[in-house]
Amino acid sequence: MSTRRVTIFGATGSIGQNTIDLIRRAPTDFTVVALTGARNISQLAKDARELGAELAVTAEPELLSELRAALAGSGVEAAAGSEALIDAAARPADWFMSAIVGAAGLYPGLEALKHGTTLALANKESLVTAGPLLLETARRYGAQILPVDSEHSAVFQALVGEDLSAVERVIITASGGAFRDWPLETIASATVAQAANHPNWNMGTRITIDSASMFNKAMELIETKEFFGIESSAIETIVHPESLIHALVGFNDGALMAHVGPPDMRHAIGYALNYPNRKELPVERLDLAKIGQFTFCEACVIRYPALALARSVMEQGGLAGAAFNAAKEQALDGFIDGQIGFTDMANTVEHVLDQLGGTADLSEMITLENIVQTDQIARRIARDYIAQHGH
Ligand code: NAD
Ligand code: MG
């Protein structure tokens, strides 16, 4: 196989570093075109040097001189700012990893699709805010999108060789997050440190807090609808504390195909990196006798109000996803900054959806302009709510 030319957006993050780990283990299979990061300049420069990247980009314009200095003599070009991220996406590559956290990840992903190659999508905000636009862009340019979220990679793998019309339901599993077993009345006073401590997965801080609130699962339900084109009523979620079954697909003959594996993102990343081939990956091999049992319990919407909000977003469609994501990001900032409590995050998002729901604002076409506008309006309503209801 000739070497695959790869670019990684969000290379310094949790997904980005796991991607680099796999590339490092197969150096002759890959050539690195560009790596991007934000504030962690020393990591970005170290990886760009070591992997012989053509280009390294920081999202932060004021850090350009620091990046230049860190890359001096290496032959790696340095650039900074959101335009530079788009320029990096405009450089041809065979495989792009979209692993920036937040709505900012959408723009380089859309640009990368124009090469008609492969976009490995970890950035779930892209699908939640702009699913139809992303898929339409991929279709127009003949590009392929491969899901990198563990649940969606699991569904994707269960669907290989299957006819979508035979799918009755998709079950997305949830670990239940850090507060699965907390008494309900104590959750409101949970701290950032408690929310950022995941029982099974080692991930970036924001997604870990989103796991505790189940906003992460809420995003994943919306992602499932958008990516696979499955009706909201056919998408279920269940708490599975071991995080070993990542998703199940139910077919019209009653069969349930489950994807089982250790909680290690290198599986989903590696599957996308080597697709359509499978290659050996450095993930743990499960000892089922030792594990003994898989357990499940219902995902309670009182404990996890984000799940009910996701249903409403899936049913509304249109720009509701963009409003939901923006409100969620703003609420998460408010929680991390100590302005609001843990359970106020869901209240904030609910308030934003109530304010915007049913208005022409959300039924407009899903264009980039409308997404940006909805994002800004939703953030403003969320900020006002946080200012009024915060500590
Ligand atoms: P992270 O916080 O560890 O890393 C985020 C990356 O994005 C870093 O490289 C950072 O420098 C960069 N970044 C941050 N803000 C930016 C901005 N405004 N512009 C450009 N770059 C910016 O996050 P992560 O956990 O690796 O998650 C990345 C994405 O993948 C998220 O969308 C997350 O929901 C999704 N995801 C993560 C996991 C996981 O296991 N970590 C699993 C499934 C999906
Ligand atoms: Mg996931």
Side-chain angles (χ1 to χ4, degrees):
M1 194 178 93
S2 60
T3 71
R4 208 163 247 197
R5 288 166 54 83
V6 308
T7 281
I8 305 172
F9 295 100
T12 56
S14 168
I15 293 285
Q17 289 293 298
N18 277 311
T19 309
I20 287 175
D21 174 71
L22 294 179
I23 288 174
R24 236 183 228 128
R25 291 165 190 264
T28 55
D29 290 353
F30 304 101
T31 307
V32 175
V33 178
L35 297 180
T36 86
R39 310 209 67 85
N40 191 347
I41 299 298
S42 59
Q43 185 71 53
L44 178 62
K46 176 177 165 290
D47 291 333
R49 275 177 185 273
E50 194 189 320
L51 297 171
E54 288 172 16
L55 170 69
V57 182
T58 163
E60 306 290 343
E62 73 276 13
L63 297 180
L64 180 58
S65 52
E66 195 185 318
L67 181 61
R68 279 212 178 104
L71 289 171
S74 66
V76 183
E77 289 171 59
S82 42
E83 282 302 312
L85 288 174
I86 303 295
D87 292 344
R91 287 201 186 197
D94 303 309
W95 192 91
F96 294 84
M97 167 55 83
S98 168
I100 287 173
V101 63
L106 172 63
Y107 309 99
L110 278 173
E111 185 66 29
L113 287 172
K114 296 182 184 167
H115 299 289
T117 54
T118 298
L119 181 69
L121 192 65
N123 177 269
K124 53 188 70 187
E125 296 84 355
S126 298
L127 272 177
V128 172
T129 59
L133 180 64
L134 206 70
L135 297 188
E136 174 51 32
T137 307
R139 251 190 309 272
R140 186 177 338 139
Y141 292 95
Q144 111 182 307
I145 301 179
L146 298 174
V148 171
D149 217 337
S150 55
E151 296 77 4
H152 306 83
S153 176
V155 173
F156 188 88
Q157 293 179 52
L159 286 175
V160 169
E162 301 287 354
D163 191 339
L164 257 188
S165 65
V167 172
E168 243 173 28
R169 58 181 180 152
V170 169
I171 306 173
I172 300 293
T173 58
S175 68
F179 307 141
R180 182 182 62 221
D181 302 319
W182 281 35
L184 276 183
E185 61 282 5
T186 59
I187 296 178
S189 57
T191 65
V192 172
Q194 286 166 331
N197 184 15
H198 198 282
N200 304 339
W201 292 92
N202 180 11
M203 310 182 285
T205 307
R206 295 181 73 86
I207 183 174
T208 304
I209 299 173
D210 281 350
S211 296
S213 62
M214 282 246 200
F215 268 111
N216 181 49
K217 209 49 56 180
M219 304 272 286
E220 292 180 355
L221 298 180
I222 302 168
E223 276 182 271
T224 304
K225 172 184 174 254
E226 296 296 344
F227 188 79
F228 297 103
I230 289 171
E231 285 297 308
S232 153
S233 57
I235 304 171
E236 303 168 23
T237 184
I238 190 154
V239 172
H240 166 52
E242 295 89 0
S243 294
L244 296 173
I245 299 179
H246 303 300
L248 304 96
V249 178
F251 293 92
N252 56 6
D253 59 358
L256 267 180
M257 300 293 283
H259 181 282
V260 185
D264 185 335
M265 282 309 294
R266 290 178 306 176
H267 173 74
I269 297 167
Y271 182 81
L273 194 56
N274 298 312
Y275 185 82
N277 304 310
R278 281 192 192 267
K279 291 205 179 157
E280 196 177 324
L281 293 173
V283 303
E284 183 198 342
R285 277 27 177 192
L286 294 180
D287 179 341
L288 294 177
K290 208 157 147 196
I291 292 162
Q293 62 181 5
F294 292 146
T295 56
F296 304 98
C297 62
E298 209 172 312
C300 162
V301 289
I302 298 171
R303 184 174 293 268
Y304 304 118
L307 296 177
L309 296 171
R311 292 275 160 214
S312 128
V313 168
M314 288 194 284
E315 278 148 28
Q316 285 184 70
L319 293 163
F324 173 84
N325 181 69
K328 194 272 304 178
E329 288 190 16
Q330 205 66 50
L332 182 56
D333 286 342
F335 175 63
I336 292 175
D337 297 344
Q339 292 171 276
I340 52 171
F342 185 78
T343 47
D344 294 327
M345 287 192 285
N347 296 337
T348 306
V349 176
E350 185 177 11
H351 172 77
V352 172
L353 291 175
D354 280 352
Q355 291 281 303
L356 287 171
T359 68
D361 287 331
L362 295 186
S363 58
E364 298 274 334
M365 289 263 296
I366 302 185
T367 61
L368 207 47
E369 262 183 340
N370 287 341
I371 289 166
V372 171
Q373 196 182 22
T374 304
D375 181 284
Q376 287 168 352
I377 297 170
R379 281 178 203 267
R380 193 168 59 232
I381 299 173
R383 276 196 300 269
D384 290 348
Y385 182 87
I386 290 168
Q388 280 164 25
H389 294 80
H391 308 312

